[in-house]
Amino acid sequence: MSDSLLKKILSPLKYVRAKTRPWRRRRHELERRLLEVEKVTGSMVKLYAWDLRKKILSESRYIDEKRLLRFGFKVHSQNDEDGIIQEIFRRIGTVNKTFVEVGVGNGLENNTLHLLLQGWRGLWIEGSPEFVEHINKKFAFALSNGTLKVRHAWVQRDCINQLIAEGWGESGELDLLSLDIDGNDYHVLEAIEPLNARVILVEYNPKFHPPVKWVMEHNPNHSYDGSDYFGCSLKSYEELLSARGYKLVGCNLLGVNAFFVREDLVKNHFHGDCSAENHYEPERFFLNDGLMPLHAANFGPFEIK
């Protein structure tokens, strides 16, 4: 093809490009301004959620020293669980600073990472192979020094005891058991033997207000679909764990997790009414905007000094 012919072919394209250049510039400018608006809007949402959280916690119900909600804060937990866990163990103490957490995601946001980094040790059980691979890379230091063990498994009620026994492999009292698998949680918890952890943390379904008792039918093939069909009501958890020697001592403000303490440790450390009716918190997932950090969650080498 000759140069003259090529120029004739490209000439209309160059003309169109030249004519549309101002439009492209305006489009890029519009995209930049929309990004700025998105940032400002996001900041306003965070500020509103933070302010609303403060207003809720200033209500008389939450000022009570025996309640846990005002102690909540986020470090590595998904919501405000880190602060509540810290306050519970400040009141009842620990035995050996050990944990088992079932359903930990990629390890960057869960209920026990903050404890691990404070010298605790324990077991993580996770069903996603991608998440387990991420944990093996990101937390190689804890895996190599033995403070953390990881088990890749799809948790079922008929295998949970074996998973804990083989994965943890230690006898003695466990300080914290955390369970969040978005489905058969009640059935898995019901199957754990022996159940002797000092503190149990479970996700409840806030759709069902006390005194409603509701448990998702056991389905070994269940996979969370993002809907509100999961787990069980707070009242069902209260009755299950009350029969096994535990008292409900609180829920977090977002209406996500419930905290149970073994009844021999409760004493006068918590509110006297341990019923679901007293401790239930409605769904307030929107408050999570006020807890989210500016930067995405990550983890790397660090020093304590």
Side-chain angles (χ1 to χ4, degrees):
M1 183 181 293
S2 66
D3 289 345
S4 60
L5 180 58
L6 184 61
K7 287 180 180 178
K8 286 181 180 179
I9 295 173
L10 294 178
S11 180
L13 296 176
K14 289 181 178 178
Y15 176 80
V16 171
R17 183 176 177 81
K19 286 295 184 181
T20 58
R21 185 175 290 117
W23 298 349
R24 293 199 305 274
R25 286 176 178 169
R26 283 197 291 271
R27 187 195 71 188
H28 292 318
E29 177 64 16
L30 181 60
E31 287 176 349
R32 185 184 66 80
R33 290 186 178 183
L34 286 174
L35 238 145
E36 290 177 354
V37 170
E38 183 181 4
K39 288 180 180 178
V40 171
T41 304
S43 298
M44 292 175 65
V45 169
K46 287 173 68 71
L47 183 61
Y48 175 74
W50 179 256
D51 184 61
L52 185 57
R53 183 174 182 271
K54 286 176 62 178
K55 286 179 179 177
I56 294 172
L57 290 175
S58 67
E59 295 175 10
S60 58
R61 164 182 165 82
Y62 302 105
I63 295 175
D64 188 335
E65 290 286 334
K66 295 294 181 72
R67 293 189 184 273
L68 295 165
L69 293 104
R70 66 187 185 89
F71 295 97
F73 61 75
K74 171 188 174 73
V75 181
H76 294 291
S77 55
Q78 286 186 305
N79 309 294
D80 53 355
E81 294 84 4
D82 283 331
I84 295 176
I85 291 169
Q86 177 176 291
E87 177 61 18
I88 289 174
F89 284 107
R90 187 194 69 79
R91 298 183 189 189
I92 70 170
T94 59
V95 172
N96 46 30
K97 294 186 176 181
T98 55
F99 61 79
V100 169
E101 182 164 9
V102 184
V104 297
N106 65 6
L108 295 178
E109 284 189 333
N110 59 44
N111 294 322
T112 55
L113 175 55
H114 188 46
L115 299 177
L116 177 69
L117 302 183
Q118 295 180 84
W120 287 49
R121 57 194 178 88
L123 167 68
W124 286 352
I125 302 175
E126 172 56 44
S128 165
E130 292 81 10
F131 286 162
V132 171
E133 182 180 0
H134 184 272
I135 290 168
N136 286 332
K137 293 177 181 177
K138 208 72 173 176
F139 299 95
F141 79 99
L143 295 168
S144 62
N145 66 24
T147 55
L148 178 65
K149 298 178 181 180
V150 176
R151 191 72 186 267
H152 173 219
W154 187 259
V155 176
Q156 303 285 2
R157 65 182 180 186
D158 58 355
C159 70
I160 183 61
N161 291 310
Q162 182 180 356
L163 288 172
I164 293 176
E166 293 179 358
W168 183 229
E170 295 187 24
S171 59
E173 192 173 347
L174 188 69
D175 280 299
L176 174 65
L177 170 66
S178 177
L179 176 65
D180 179 1
I181 56 175
D182 296 324
N184 295 307
D185 305 57
Y186 180 97
H187 305 287
V188 169
L189 183 62
E190 184 180 36
I192 295 178
E193 292 286 354
L195 194 62
N196 64 355
R198 293 166 71 82
V199 177
I200 295 176
L201 197 169
V202 289
E203 181 183 33
Y204 68 96
N205 191 326
K207 177 179 181 177
F208 303 99
H209 294 232
V212 174
K213 290 182 280 186
W214 181 92
V215 179
M216 188 190 87
E217 182 179 12
H218 180 256
N219 177 7
N221 299 314
H222 174 78
S223 180
Y224 182 57
D225 60 5
S227 73
D228 60 8
Y229 181 71
F230 68 91
C232 77
S233 69
L234 184 63
K235 190 64 179 180
S236 294
Y237 270 134
E238 181 213 328
E239 296 204 352
L240 170 67
L241 288 172
S242 177
R244 302 194 65 179
Y246 287 84
K247 297 292 186 182
L248 175 63
V249 297
C251 297
N252 71 329
L253 194 62
L254 278 73
V256 179
N257 283 304
F259 302 82
F260 292 82
V261 172
R262 211 173 61 211
E263 59 185 359
D264 61 301
L265 303 170
V266 172
K267 300 178 182 177
N268 64 343
H269 296 308
F270 305 95
H271 195 281
D273 184 349
C274 297
S275 67
E277 287 81 355
N278 179 46
H279 284 300
Y280 171 83
E281 294 295 329
E283 177 185 322
R284 299 191 186 100
F285 295 164
F286 54 87
L287 290 181
N288 202 27
D289 288 308
L291 295 170
M292 293 301 291
L294 177 64
H295 305 290
N298 200 355
F299 180 84
F302 69 101
E303 297 178 76
I304 300 176
K305 66 176 184 179

